[in-house]
Amino acid sequence: MPVRTETDRHYAVTVRRDVRIPIRERDMTLSGDLFLPEDAGPVPVLITALPYRRDVSAMNGSTTERWFASRGYASLLVDLRGTGSSDGSQRPPFDPAETDDALAAIDWAVAQPWCDGMVGMWGHSYGAMTALRTASAKPSALRAIIAVQGLTDPARDFVHPGGVRGAFSPLGVWAIGNLFNQLLPPLDDYEDPAEQARWRRRLTAAPYLLDLYRNGPGAPTWGDRAVDLAAVEVPSLCVAGWRDLFVDGTIRAYERISGPKRLVAGPWMHVMPQECPNTPIDFLGLAKSWWDKWLCGIENGADEPAVSVHVMGAQPRWLEFPEWPPRGIGRTDDVSTWQRWTPQEPDPAVGLQSGLWSTPAGLFGLPLDQHDDDVHSLCYTSPPLDKPLLISGRPAVEIGHPWRRVSVKLTDVDPGGRSTLVTAGIESGAVETLGVGLNPVTYEFAEGHRIRVVLAPSDFPRVWPESPAATGWPALNTVSLPVVSAQDATEIGYPAPDEATDLPPHRTGVPGARCLGDHNGSAQRHCFTEAGGDQRRAPGPGRHPQAPPAHRPSACRHGESHRPRGVQRHRDDHRDRRHRHRRAHHNRRQPDRDVVERRSHWPDHLRR
C-alpha cells in the first residue's frame, strides 16, 4: 500500500461531467461525474453509485465529492444502469445486479492514469447499501467503505417494516421522487440525440412504485434483495442516526460485518451528519481520516474508538464503548405495578405525533410530544424512577393476545406529563404471544421520569391504518431494557463542522469537462425541535388524560452558509436589519384573536 504524507494539502478541483464507463453489455456505458484533484499525481478514488441522477446532484454542487477531491481523493459519482444518463434498461429497486455497475466502475477507475489502484466506496442511504453490497462481492481493488444511514434489508428496513405494508415513506415520498427523476428530461445535454434516446427509454420503464406495490410483505423477491453482510470483510465505517428510519439496518450492518469496523451513532434524522441542525459533527474530517488510514497507509488511529454513540435524553453527550451492544445489566420489568391506560377503542390512525423519523425527510420532522397518540393507545406507565437510567441497545417487549399487527413505542414521561419518543418497533403475526424488538437507541431517563410503553394497532404514516379484527385489548407481559452503566464508558467529543471553509472552485476548459458553475451557496435549513410544536400533557396519575394543552411554539434553526467569515458577518448584519424592520412592521398590526388566546397558555418568557 502506498503511503502518502501530504494529506492536509488542499487542491484545486477539475470536474468532468458525464464520463462514459464501459460495462459488459456491448455498446453500453454508464454515466459518471468525475472530480479530480489537480497536480496530485495518481491518487485513490472514492466511488458512489446511485439511481438518483448525477446531473440532478450537480445542481446542488456535488459538494461532498468536490470536498474529497480538494483533499486529494478522486471522486466518481455514477448513475446506475437505466437511470440518469446511463445506458440500458432500469432494473427493479434494490436489485442485486446493481453490484455489476459498481464493479464496472471500479475496473474502469483503477485503469485510469490518475488512479493509484486504491478504491474506496461510500454512500448515504441507497448509496450505503450499494457500497455494502459491492463489498460483499470482494473486488480486489476495494480497500474500505463508509456506509452512512443505509438500509440492508429493503423489506424489513423500508418497504414492509415488521412484515406490514409500508405507506407514506416507500410508496409516497421515495417512489414519487424516483418517478420524478425518471420523467425528468436530461439536464446536461438536452438536445444530444443519445441523451434524448435514454430519456425516452426511461419513459417506457415501469416505475419503482409498481414494483414496491406488487411485491407485498413476504414476497420471495425481498429475500434476494437483502445484502449479505457477513460477506463484507473490508474495513467499514458505519454511521447511524437514532432518528433515522434506517438506524436498525445500519446497526445491523455493523454487527454482522466480519472485517475491521467502526460505529458512530448520533441523534440525526435522515441527513448527512455535518448538515443536521441537531448536534452536527465534522463528518467529512472523520471520513477523510478513515480514507487516510485504509487507502493511504497512514497510522492515525481512525479505527478507534470502535463504538461511539450520542446519548439522547437527560444529559446529551457522546460516549465511547469497546463493543456493540455495550455490556450491561439487562433489565426486565414486571409491568403489574405500572399504570395502565385504555381508551374507548383502538385508533387505527395513531402515529402522526412521531413526526417524520420513518420517512427520508432530511432536515425536519423530529418527533413531537406523544400525548395525542398516547391518549388513543394502550399505555403502560412505570412509577417514577429513583435514579437516572441509561440504556444502549435494543429494547424489547413481550405481548400476550396481540392484534394481528402491533406498533410499540417506548417514551419518556417527565413530571409535567410530556411524553418524548425514545424508540419504536412494529411486528405482525397471528400468535398467542408476540415478541417485538424495538429500534436500537442510546437514551438516558432522568430521575423522577417515568417509562411508558405504548401499544397501538397501527403507526401512520409509517404503515397503512388498519382497525384490528378482534375485539379486546392485548396485554403487555414484560419490558426488557438494555441497561448500561456510564462508568463502563468514556465520555468523548466530536468537532463541529468548519462552517468557514470554502470549497475550491472547479476548473473549466478541460477536455471532456462540462462544468455547470460554482455552487458554494447553501439554502437555509429548518428543523423542528424534538417534542416541539403543540406540547400536550400525557396521561398521569390522578388526572384525566385529556389534560389542557400547554402550547409552545416549535423552534427552528437556520444553517450558516459556507462563506468566509467577513462575508457571512456582513450578510448576518443585513439579515438582522431586515428582521428588525419586519418585527417593527409586524408589531404595528393587531394580532389575531386565536393567537392571543394561544399565548395565554405560554410561559411568561414566550408571550412577548
Side-chain angles (χ1 to χ4, degrees):
M1 176 187 297
V3 176
R4 294 169 59 197
T5 57
E6 296 183 357
T7 60
D8 293 329
R9 180 180 171 184
H10 292 192
Y11 299 86
V13 176
T14 296
V15 180
R16 299 179 182 176
R17 302 288 185 197
D18 194 20
V19 298
R20 307 309 300 184
I21 302 168
I23 57 178
R24 286 186 294 183
E25 286 79 358
R26 186 175 179 181
D27 298 328
M28 287 190 182
T29 57
L30 305 177
S31 175
D33 280 353
L34 178 63
F35 303 77
L36 291 175
E38 290 188 4
D39 302 321
V43 295
V45 60
L46 310 178
I47 297 176
T48 303
L50 290 169
Y52 298 146
R53 296 189 52 164
R54 50 108 206 145
D55 58 348
V56 173
S57 177
M59 297 187 68
N60 295 321
S62 303
T63 54
T64 305
E65 288 79 12
R66 289 182 56 211
W67 191 93
F68 284 137
S70 72
R71 267 64 178 181
Y73 289 91
S75 291
L76 180 62
L77 178 60
V78 180
D79 285 341
L80 293 173
R81 173 176 169 161
T83 67
S85 298
S86 290
D87 293 329
S89 300
Q90 178 177 284
R91 300 185 181 95
F94 320 113
D95 194 296
E98 292 171 345
T99 305
D100 296 340
D101 297 345
L103 296 176
I106 292 174
D107 291 343
W108 175 84
V110 297
Q112 304 307 307
W114 44 259
C115 181
D116 66 1
M118 308 296 288
V119 178
M121 279 197 72
W122 81 279
H124 176 252
S125 191
Y126 203 110
M129 181 187 65
T130 306
L132 288 163
R133 198 190 299 278
T134 305
S136 70
K138 300 181 174 61
S140 59
L142 182 61
R143 302 302 177 92
I145 64 171
I146 299 178
V148 184
Q149 298 177 343
L151 68 169
T152 55
D153 184 338
R156 172 178 172 178
D157 299 336
F158 185 47
V159 185
H160 305 302
V164 180
R165 184 179 287 277
F168 183 63
S169 183
L171 300 182
V173 174
W174 190 75
I176 299 303
N178 279 281
L179 179 60
F180 172 81
N181 282 339
Q182 182 177 342
L183 301 179
L184 186 69
L187 301 181
D188 277 357
D189 296 312
Y190 176 77
E191 297 181 355
D192 180 62
E195 282 288 81
Q196 285 285 317
R198 298 183 190 107
W199 175 41
R200 297 186 185 282
R201 186 183 304 113
R202 286 201 308 271
L203 296 179
T204 64
Y208 285 171
L209 176 63
L210 293 181
D211 182 271
L212 302 183
Y213 185 79
R214 290 168 178 167
N215 292 294
T221 187
W222 294 118
D224 298 334
R225 298 183 189 182
V227 180
D228 182 9
L229 297 171
V232 178
E233 298 177 352
V234 297
S236 304
L237 172 60
C238 300
V239 182
W242 296 136
R243 297 304 191 193
D244 174 46
L245 72 165
F246 298 143
V247 59
D248 186 48
T250 306
I251 299 288
R252 197 166 60 249
Y254 176 80
E255 292 171 339
R256 298 183 182 179
I257 289 172
S258 57
K261 54 189 177 181
R262 179 179 176 182
L263 173 65
V264 178
W268 312 303
M269 292 189 69
H270 197 66
V271 64
M272 292 289 287
Q274 77 274 18
E275 297 175 356
C276 185
N278 185 18
T279 319
I281 66 169
D282 182 19
F283 166 74
L284 295 179
L286 177 69
K288 180 181 178 299
S289 66
W290 189 258
W291 302 132
D292 286 348
K293 176 176 177 60
W294 298 110
L295 302 186
C296 301
I298 299 174
E299 293 299 328
N300 55 11
D303 53 342
E304 297 178 352
V307 176
S308 51
V309 296
H310 188 271
V311 181
M312 299 190 297
Q315 294 183 340
R317 61 198 187 277
W318 284 95
L319 293 181
E320 168 192 335
F321 288 100
E323 59 186 352
W324 177 271
R327 292 184 182 180
I329 303 172
R331 166 175 166 164
T332 301
D333 284 54
D334 178 6
V335 299
S336 60
T337 61
W338 290 26
Q339 179 191 16
R340 175 179 165 126
W341 161 257
T342 307
Q344 292 183 351
E345 60 182 2
D347 187 341
V350 297
L352 289 175
Q353 299 305 308
S354 297
L356 299 177
W357 74 267
S358 62
T359 300
L363 294 167
F364 67 97
L366 285 166
L368 305 176
D369 188 325
Q370 300 297 293
H371 171 272
D372 279 0
D373 281 347
D374 291 357
V375 298
H376 293 95
S377 307
L378 175 61
C379 295
Y380 289 80
T381 307
S382 75
L385 297 170
D386 57 4
K387 60 181 179 180
L389 182 69
L390 176 62
I391 64 172
S392 187
R394 285 185 172 84
V397 301
E398 183 183 274
I399 304 169
H401 307 288
W403 298 301
R404 188 182 68 86
R405 66 182 192 184
V406 182
S407 166
V408 181
K409 295 179 181 177
L410 182 70
T411 73
D412 174 8
V413 183
D414 68 18
R418 175 176 169 177
S419 179
T420 300
L421 180 66
V422 176
T423 186
I426 190 169
E427 197 60 65
S428 62
V431 293
E432 287 296 316
T433 302
L434 181 67
V436 181
L438 309 187
N439 283 338
V441 70
T442 299
Y443 192 95
E444 186 169 46
F445 297 86
E447 179 182 351
H449 286 215
R450 292 170 291 150
I451 302 169
R452 174 173 291 159
V453 176
V454 183
L455 308 181
S458 189
D459 185 13
F460 184 77
R462 189 184 186 193
V463 297
W464 292 108
E466 179 182 274
S467 296
T471 59
W473 296 90
L476 178 63
N477 295 338
T478 59
V479 179
S480 300
L481 299 176
V483 178
V484 297
S485 172
Q487 297 178 351
D488 297 331
T490 303
E491 188 166 345
I492 60 174
Y494 276 102
D498 183 3
E499 295 183 349
T501 301
D502 264 346
L503 289 171
H506 52 249
R507 304 292 183 178
T508 59
V510 178
R514 292 195 299 277
C515 301
L516 301 182
D518 204 3
H519 303 275
N520 282 334
S522 62
Q524 287 184 336
R525 302 166 184 151
H526 301 273
C527 178
F528 293 105
T529 57
E530 291 203 37
D534 190 7
Q535 304 296 325
R536 301 180 183 272
R537 304 182 74 188
R543 61 183 170 85
H544 196 275
Q546 299 288 2
H551 291 280
R552 299 176 188 173
S554 59
C556 68
R557 295 168 60 178
H558 301 280
E560 299 286 341
S561 59
H562 296 270
R563 295 182 175 89
R565 296 186 188 275
V567 175
Q568 185 61 48
R569 188 181 304 114
H570 171 75
R571 290 179 176 269
D572 288 343
D573 293 341
H574 178 65
R575 184 175 59 195
D576 290 342
R577 288 196 297 271
R578 286 186 301 164
H579 286 187
R580 286 195 297 271
H581 173 75
R582 290 173 180 171
R583 284 198 298 269
H585 176 73
H586 175 79
N587 290 338
R588 289 196 297 268
R589 298 181 298 171
Q590 180 69 25
D592 296 335
R593 179 179 179 83
D594 64 330
V595 174
V596 175
E597 292 176 350
R598 286 202 306 271
R599 287 180 179 175
S600 66
H601 295 285
W602 295 0
D604 291 341
H605 70 285
L606 292 178
R607 293 183 187 177
R608 304 185 186 94

